[in-house]
Amino acid sequence: MEFIIISGLSGAGKTSALHVLEDIGYYCVDNIPASLLSTLYTLCLNSTNESMKRAAVVVDVRGNDNYEQMNNQIEDFKKSHSDVKILFIDARSDIVIMRYKETRRKHPLSDRLRDGTVTEAVEFEKALLTPVKRAADYHINTTHMSKKQMRERVISLFMEDVTKSLTLTFMSFGFKFGIPLEADVVFDVRCLPNPFYIPKLKMLTGLDSSVRNYVLCSNDTQQFLKRTLDLLDFSVPLYYKEGKSELVVGVGCTGGKHRSVTVARALQEHFQSLGYKSVVSHRDIEKPTTD
């Protein structure tokens, strides 16, 4: 039995995440009160329909008026069931506000607040969902993500049984676009040789063998990888021992296209060879080349 609770900020992408899970075979329900979690769980558990053994539900402010009670119900429900995981979908406040202004949709909390502005509603929701965010097993921040990237991220997390192991996500990014807010560990590779200044490599990425070879052939890169892998080889089992479900390792260069992509791939390949469930995500690889 797998039971995923999706929660997070309105406008951050919860419904999109639910649709992805539905596409890969989960039985999905959007917007149910937290008080019905146990009822739905029991129905899924006792169902003879095997498709209901993998369920995902969205629980957020829309179906719950008592927010403190909602938080407590989610936390108690999760503690009572070892096969329940929480996925929290987040985004930077200004990005959520911009999305609401672009779509001209009303925030679900607007009518419940004195001023009713989108800004007030977003900040209020962010504060009241803090307990759920802290209890979450997985975090996805969609601030800099395209719909395609979000889909790939959700699939990488839940295509297999989420209860089996720790998932390692190696995310390349560009510092000029901001550090991934969901990253647990961040490595800065701006100290390594930069292909951006090689004319024939400038417009390529770390997915191209010529760029990869240029970065990895450097003695500095090899020493950096050795020391980084020593640290991760030591610490990853400790995260697993503590019961962490996902560890997001950010690898950043200036633009997120050359060095960070190369190093993130190298780290992911190392842990994949050790048998870990590991995925790689290149957040900024499609952005304009400015390294």
Side-chain angles (χ1 to χ4, degrees):
M1 179 73 176
E2 295 178 46
F3 198 93
I4 311 299
I5 299 174
I6 303 174
S7 193
L9 294 186
S10 302
K14 300 188 300 296
T15 300
S16 296
L18 187 71
H19 288 165
V20 176
L21 289 174
E22 187 173 28
D23 289 344
I24 62 176
Y26 281 77
Y27 173 73
C28 295
V29 180
D30 190 11
N31 187 23
I32 69 169
S35 59
L36 294 181
L37 283 171
S38 293
T39 302
L40 180 60
Y41 178 89
T42 302
L43 287 173
C44 291
L45 185 64
N46 296 332
S47 174
T48 57
N49 186 344
E50 285 301 315
S51 65
M52 295 183 69
K53 301 303 183 183
R54 302 174 75 209
V57 300
V58 174
V59 181
D60 56 27
V61 297
R62 292 172 297 168
N64 298 272
D65 293 324
N66 187 324
Y67 307 126
E68 183 177 355
Q69 185 181 58
M70 177 191 75
N71 291 334
N72 291 335
Q73 288 172 333
I74 292 175
E75 185 176 0
D76 291 343
F77 175 72
K78 183 178 184 296
K79 288 180 178 179
S80 301
H81 302 84
S82 61
D83 50 6
V84 171
K85 302 292 181 182
I86 298 176
L87 168 62
F88 194 88
I89 310 295
D90 202 359
R92 211 170 61 207
S93 296
D94 61 313
I95 298 298
V96 174
I97 293 168
M98 181 182 69
R99 291 173 183 172
Y100 269 101
K101 289 183 177 179
E102 288 177 347
T103 60
R104 298 185 179 181
R105 295 187 62 200
K106 180 185 290 187
H107 192 283
L109 292 179
S110 293
D111 292 338
R112 308 182 196 183
L113 299 174
R114 179 181 301 175
D115 296 332
T117 64
V118 174
T119 299
E120 182 187 20
V122 169
E123 293 302 329
F124 179 64
E125 184 180 34
K126 186 181 286 283
L128 68 86
L129 288 177
T130 297
V132 180
K133 183 176 181 179
R134 289 174 179 166
D137 302 279
Y138 304 95
H139 296 83
I140 296 180
N141 191 294
T142 65
T143 299
H144 299 288
M145 281 188 177
S146 65
K147 290 184 178 180
K148 177 184 176 183
Q149 289 173 324
M150 181 182 180
R151 179 179 179 82
E152 291 173 347
R153 182 78 192 286
V154 173
I155 289 175
S156 72
L157 289 175
F158 299 108
M159 184 63 84
E160 300 177 8
D161 185 352
V162 300
T163 66
K164 288 183 178 178
S165 65
L166 169 69
T167 299
L168 298 173
T169 298
F170 296 93
M171 181 180 294
S172 69
F173 69 93
F175 276 97
K176 68 171 296 181
F177 301 112
I179 296 175
L181 298 181
E182 63 267 51
D184 299 293
V185 182
V186 173
F187 293 103
D188 185 348
V189 298
R190 288 176 291 185
C191 57
L192 303 181
N194 193 352
F196 179 81
Y197 297 108
I198 308 300
K200 65 179 181 179
L201 302 180
K202 179 177 180 178
M203 301 309 296
L204 302 178
T205 73
L207 299 180
D208 296 292
S209 59
S210 54
V211 171
R212 182 178 173 89
N213 291 337
Y214 176 83
V215 175
L216 293 179
C217 283
S218 164
N219 182 62
D220 289 340
T221 302
Q222 290 301 313
Q223 292 298 315
F224 182 92
L225 281 173
K226 180 181 183 302
R227 288 164 170 76
T228 300
L229 288 172
D230 283 344
L231 173 61
L232 290 174
D233 283 340
F234 171 77
S235 59
V236 166
L238 299 181
Y239 285 110
Y240 178 74
K241 184 179 179 181
E242 286 298 310
K244 195 167 180 61
S245 299
E246 182 195 20
L247 183 71
V248 180
V249 179
V251 182
C253 60
T254 306
K257 297 176 71 71
H258 299 109
R259 295 166 290 180
S260 61
V261 172
T262 299
V263 173
R265 289 181 65 195
L267 297 178
Q268 187 268 338
E269 289 168 359
H270 169 81
F271 281 96
Q272 187 176 52
S273 70
L274 296 178
Y276 284 90
K277 181 183 176 184
S278 60
V279 296
V280 65
S281 172
H282 304 303
R283 193 192 71 180
D284 301 324
I285 197 169
E286 296 180 0
K287 291 185 171 64
T289 303
T290 53
D291 211 15

